[in-house]
PDB file of all heavy atoms in Angstrom:
ATOM      1  N   LEU A 428      77.283 111.697  98.784  1.00  0.00           N
ATOM      2  CA  LEU A 428      77.887 111.184  97.564  1.00  0.00           C
ATOM      3  C   LEU A 428      78.325 109.723  97.750  1.00  0.00           C
ATOM      4  O   LEU A 428      78.098 108.809  96.893  1.00  0.00           O
ATOM      5  CB  LEU A 428      79.085 112.016  97.084  1.00  0.00           C
ATOM      6  CG  LEU A 428      79.781 111.421  95.878  1.00  0.00           C
ATOM      7  CD1 LEU A 428      79.978 112.554  94.783  1.00  0.00           C
ATOM      8  CD2 LEU A 428      81.101 110.790  96.150  1.00  0.00           C
ATOM      9  N   ASP A 432      76.530 106.656  95.876  1.00  0.00           N
ATOM     10  CA  ASP A 432      77.324 106.408  94.672  1.00  0.00           C
ATOM     11  C   ASP A 432      78.572 105.528  94.982  1.00  0.00           C
ATOM     12  O   ASP A 432      78.643 104.401  94.665  1.00  0.00           O
ATOM     13  CB  ASP A 432      77.674 107.752  94.035  1.00  0.00           C
ATOM     14  CG  ASP A 432      78.325 107.566  92.664  1.00  0.00           C
ATOM     15  OD1 ASP A 432      78.576 106.480  92.223  1.00  0.00           O
ATOM     16  OD2 ASP A 432      78.534 108.605  92.024  1.00  0.00           O
ATOM     17  N   GLU A 480      74.198 113.777  92.019  1.00  0.00           N
ATOM     18  CA  GLU A 480      74.163 112.335  91.635  1.00  0.00           C
ATOM     19  C   GLU A 480      72.816 111.721  91.763  1.00  0.00           C
ATOM     20  O   GLU A 480      72.383 110.869  91.029  1.00  0.00           O
ATOM     21  CB  GLU A 480      75.225 111.579  92.430  1.00  0.00           C
ATOM     22  CG  GLU A 480      76.609 112.139  92.472  1.00  0.00           C
ATOM     23  CD  GLU A 480      77.482 111.825  91.191  1.00  0.00           C
ATOM     24  OE1 GLU A 480      76.935 111.120  90.281  1.00  0.00           O
ATOM     25  OE2 GLU A 480      78.587 112.348  91.083  1.00  0.00           O
ATOM     26  N   LYS A 483      70.763 112.674  88.903  1.00  0.00           N
ATOM     27  CA  LYS A 483      71.253 111.848  87.843  1.00  0.00           C
ATOM     28  C   LYS A 483      70.523 110.608  87.706  1.00  0.00           C
ATOM     29  O   LYS A 483      70.049 110.080  86.621  1.00  0.00           O
ATOM     30  CB  LYS A 483      72.734 111.673  88.027  1.00  0.00           C
ATOM     31  CG  LYS A 483      73.429 110.726  86.928  1.00  0.00           C
ATOM     32  CD  LYS A 483      74.867 110.287  87.327  1.00  0.00           C
ATOM     33  CE  LYS A 483      74.840 109.089  88.278  1.00  0.00           C
ATOM     34  NZ  LYS A 483      76.271 108.779  88.605  1.00  0.00           N
ATOM     35  N   LEU A 539      75.981 105.551  84.063  1.00  0.00           N
ATOM     36  CA  LEU A 539      76.159 106.227  85.287  1.00  0.00           C
ATOM     37  C   LEU A 539      77.054 107.450  85.105  1.00  0.00           C
ATOM     38  O   LEU A 539      77.218 108.301  85.912  1.00  0.00           O
ATOM     39  CB  LEU A 539      76.819 105.316  86.332  1.00  0.00           C
ATOM     40  CG  LEU A 539      75.987 104.120  86.772  1.00  0.00           C
ATOM     41  CD1 LEU A 539      76.826 103.141  87.568  1.00  0.00           C
ATOM     42  CD2 LEU A 539      74.721 104.500  87.467  1.00  0.00           C
ATOM     43  N   HIS A 543      79.027 113.362  83.324  1.00  0.00           N
ATOM     44  CA  HIS A 543      80.363 113.306  83.823  1.00  0.00           C
ATOM     45  C   HIS A 543      81.465 113.674  82.728  1.00  0.00           C
ATOM     46  O   HIS A 543      82.535 114.026  83.062  1.00  0.00           O
ATOM     47  CB  HIS A 543      80.719 112.012  84.474  1.00  0.00           C
ATOM     48  CG  HIS A 543      80.121 111.789  85.826  1.00  0.00           C
ATOM     49  ND1 HIS A 543      78.780 111.799  86.021  1.00  0.00           N
ATOM     50  CD2 HIS A 543      80.693 111.703  87.018  1.00  0.00           C
ATOM     51  CE1 HIS A 543      78.500 111.701  87.400  1.00  0.00           C
ATOM     52  NE2 HIS A 543      79.734 111.551  87.974  1.00  0.00           N
ATOM     53  N   HIS A 547      83.483 116.392  84.289  1.00  0.00           N
ATOM     54  CA  HIS A 547      84.909 116.169  84.699  1.00  0.00           C
ATOM     55  C   HIS A 547      85.744 117.260  84.079  1.00  0.00           C
ATOM     56  O   HIS A 547      86.741 117.789  84.755  1.00  0.00           O
ATOM     57  CB  HIS A 547      85.450 114.827  84.237  1.00  0.00           C
ATOM     58  CG  HIS A 547      85.054 113.724  85.160  1.00  0.00           C
ATOM     59  ND1 HIS A 547      84.758 112.449  84.756  1.00  0.00           N
ATOM     60  CD2 HIS A 547      84.876 113.656  86.536  1.00  0.00           C
ATOM     61  CE1 HIS A 547      84.493 111.626  85.777  1.00  0.00           C
ATOM     62  NE2 HIS A 547      84.525 112.368  86.869  1.00  0.00           N
ATOM     63  N   HIS A 559      82.830 118.351  92.685  1.00  0.00           N
ATOM     64  CA  HIS A 559      82.398 117.326  91.667  1.00  0.00           C
ATOM     65  C   HIS A 559      80.859 117.430  91.390  1.00  0.00           C
ATOM     66  O   HIS A 559      80.540 117.518  90.194  1.00  0.00           O
ATOM     67  CB  HIS A 559      82.786 115.948  92.258  1.00  0.00           C
ATOM     68  CG  HIS A 559      82.367 114.896  91.358  1.00  0.00           C
ATOM     69  ND1 HIS A 559      83.000 114.561  90.160  1.00  0.00           N
ATOM     70  CD2 HIS A 559      81.335 113.914  91.510  1.00  0.00           C
ATOM     71  CE1 HIS A 559      82.386 113.515  89.628  1.00  0.00           C
ATOM     72  NE2 HIS A 559      81.399 113.144  90.405  1.00  0.00           N
ATOM     73  N   GLY A 560      80.115 117.438  92.471  1.00  0.00           N
ATOM     74  CA  GLY A 560      78.613 117.420  92.145  1.00  0.00           C
ATOM     75  C   GLY A 560      78.115 118.626  91.333  1.00  0.00           C
ATOM     76  O   GLY A 560      77.336 118.502  90.422  1.00  0.00           O
ATOM     77  N   VAL A 563      79.149 118.073  87.835  1.00  0.00           N
ATOM     78  CA  VAL A 563      78.265 117.042  87.186  1.00  0.00           C
ATOM     79  C   VAL A 563      76.888 117.717  86.868  1.00  0.00           C
ATOM     80  O   VAL A 563      76.306 117.464  85.788  1.00  0.00           O
ATOM     81  CB  VAL A 563      78.019 115.899  88.128  1.00  0.00           C
ATOM     82  CG1 VAL A 563      76.975 114.935  87.675  1.00  0.00           C
ATOM     83  CG2 VAL A 563      79.351 115.101  88.223  1.00  0.00           C
TER      84      VAL A 563
HETATM   85 ZN1   ZN B 915      80.069 111.501  90.093  1.00  0.00          ZN
END
Side-chain angles (χ1 to χ4, degrees):
L428 179 129
D432 188 357
E480 306 283 357
K483 176 189 82 179
L539 299 171
H543 283 63
H547 278 145
H559 178 73
V563 168

